[in-house]
């Protein structure tokens, strides 16, 4: 319930901010230019607000416990390893956190390279050896150093804008066609028009998800390569192989799963945010 509440509250905040911006700018959605501005405000606005609050959202959603003072040798080693890798990658020290989950997973998030969070599951921290964990951390540090959070936000903003704009343009064309064939020329009517927009949003949204997933898979390959450079190729391969043998993923909610090193499986690879682990291992071995 807490995760659902946070997601709803975030979306309501995005709608409120976007509506205020539209009101200030005096956007007229009855013109193509106004509609495009409307789509861009909601498309990019939602993406960038999500990025801005990504660390806070991740901590609340996953119940992350940020390590301020290490309580034992394991936590001290974890913080020291992240610090060393961050220095190697040329970024500021991220916040380091642990969240309670039996699955082997970790993620990195944050609005910029120098304002980030790296979190590992308790299952990964106490179920993998130091070499494997070091490689996982190197993978996440590479995500931060590559600016993947910002890049994916820009891509998400573009596809969001496309979905919002295209759905309303096509719905308008359908409405005009119906009106031209209607003796009274009234078109679809408000509720029918909104129904068409909703259906088109869903259909275009599936296409948009495939585009975002494609770029997400590319960034995973790049982060694996970065992890191999920071921790060593064999360690990175061993870590991915260990992830393949670990507990089934699924503890992360949908909005967080794309951030994890170990993504959720899907009926089609086109919708997967992560390449299959077998392909990632093969790509590293081929380097």
């Amino acid at each position: 319930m807490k995760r659902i509440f946070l997601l709803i509250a975030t979306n309501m905040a995005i709608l409120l901010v976007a509506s205020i911006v539209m009101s200030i700018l005096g956007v007229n959605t009855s013109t193509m230019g106004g509609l495009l501005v409307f789509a861009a405000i909601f498309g990019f606005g939602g993406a960038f607000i999500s990025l801005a609050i990504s660390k806070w959202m991740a901590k609340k959603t996953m119940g992350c416990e940020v390590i301020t003072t290490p309580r034992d040798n394991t936590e001290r080693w974890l913080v020291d390893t992240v610090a060393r890798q961050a220095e190697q990658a040329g970024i500021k020290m991220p916040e380091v956190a642990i969240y309670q989950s039996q699955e082997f997973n970790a993620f990195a998030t944050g609005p910029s390279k120098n304002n980030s969070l790296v979190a590992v599951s308790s299952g990964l921290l106490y179920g993998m050896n130091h070499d494997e964990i070091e490689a996982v951390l190197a993978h996440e540090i590479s995500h931060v150093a590559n600016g993947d959070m910002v890049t994916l936000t820009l891509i998400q903003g573009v596809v969001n804008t496309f979905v919002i704009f295209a759905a309303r343009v096509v719905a308008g064309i359908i409405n005009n066609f119906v009106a031209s064939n209607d003796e009274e020329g009234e078109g679809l009517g408000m509720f029918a028009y909104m129904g068409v927009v909703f259906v088109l949003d869903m259909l275009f949204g599936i296409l948009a998800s495939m585009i975002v997933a494609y770029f997400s898979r590319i960034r995973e390959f790049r982060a694996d390569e970065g992890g191999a450079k920071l921790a060593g190729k064999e360690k990175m391969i061993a870590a991915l192989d260990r992830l393949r043998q670990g507990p089934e993923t699924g503890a992360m909610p949908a909005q967080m799963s794309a951030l994890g090193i170990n993504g959720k499986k899907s009926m089609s690879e086109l919708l997967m945010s992560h390449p299959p682990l077998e392909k990632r291992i093969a790509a590293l071995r081929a380097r």
Side-chain angles (χ1 to χ4, degrees), residues 131-174:
D131 283 351
E132 293 163 349
I133 299 170
E134 182 184 350
V136 169
L137 295 173
H139 173 99
E140 300 305 332
I141 289 294
S142 294
H143 271 312
V144 177
N146 291 339
D148 285 341
M149 289 82 77
V150 175
T151 301
L152 209 59
T153 296
L154 290 170
I155 294 168
Q156 188 69 62
V158 170
V159 298
N160 286 349
T161 300
F162 163 77
V163 169
I164 295 169
F165 181 75
R168 282 149 186 80
V169 168
V170 174
I173 292 171
I174 294 172

Side-chain angles (χ1 to χ4, degrees), residues 77-78 81-82 85 99 104-108 118-121 124-125 128-144 220 223-224 226-228 230-232 235-243 259-262 277 280:
W77 174 85
L78 180 66
T81 303
V82 171
Q85 292 180 350
Y99 65 94
F104 290 178
N105 222 331
F107 66 86
V118 172
V120 299
S121 69
L124 182 145
L125 184 59
M128 296 174 71
N129 65 43
H130 278 195
D131 283 351
E132 293 163 349
I133 299 170
E134 182 184 350
V136 169
L137 295 173
H139 173 99
E140 300 305 332
I141 289 294
S142 294
H143 271 312
V144 177
E220 289 303 319
D224 286 341
L230 287 174
K235 288 182 183 179
M236 193 69 245
I237 291 173
L240 294 176
D241 192 47
R242 188 74 179 91
L243 289 174
L259 300 175
I261 187 173
N262 199 0
L277 289 167
R280 292 165 66 180

Side-chain angles (χ1 to χ4, degrees), residues 93 135 137 215 249 261 267:
M93 174 68 179
L137 295 173
F215 283 103
T249 57
I261 187 173
M267 292 178 63

Side-chain angles (χ1 to χ4, degrees), residues 30-50:
S30 62
T31 66
M32 290 294 282
L35 181 59
L36 183 57
V37 172
F38 163 83
I41 288 173
F42 276 87
F44 279 96
F48 276 101
I49 289 173
S50 296

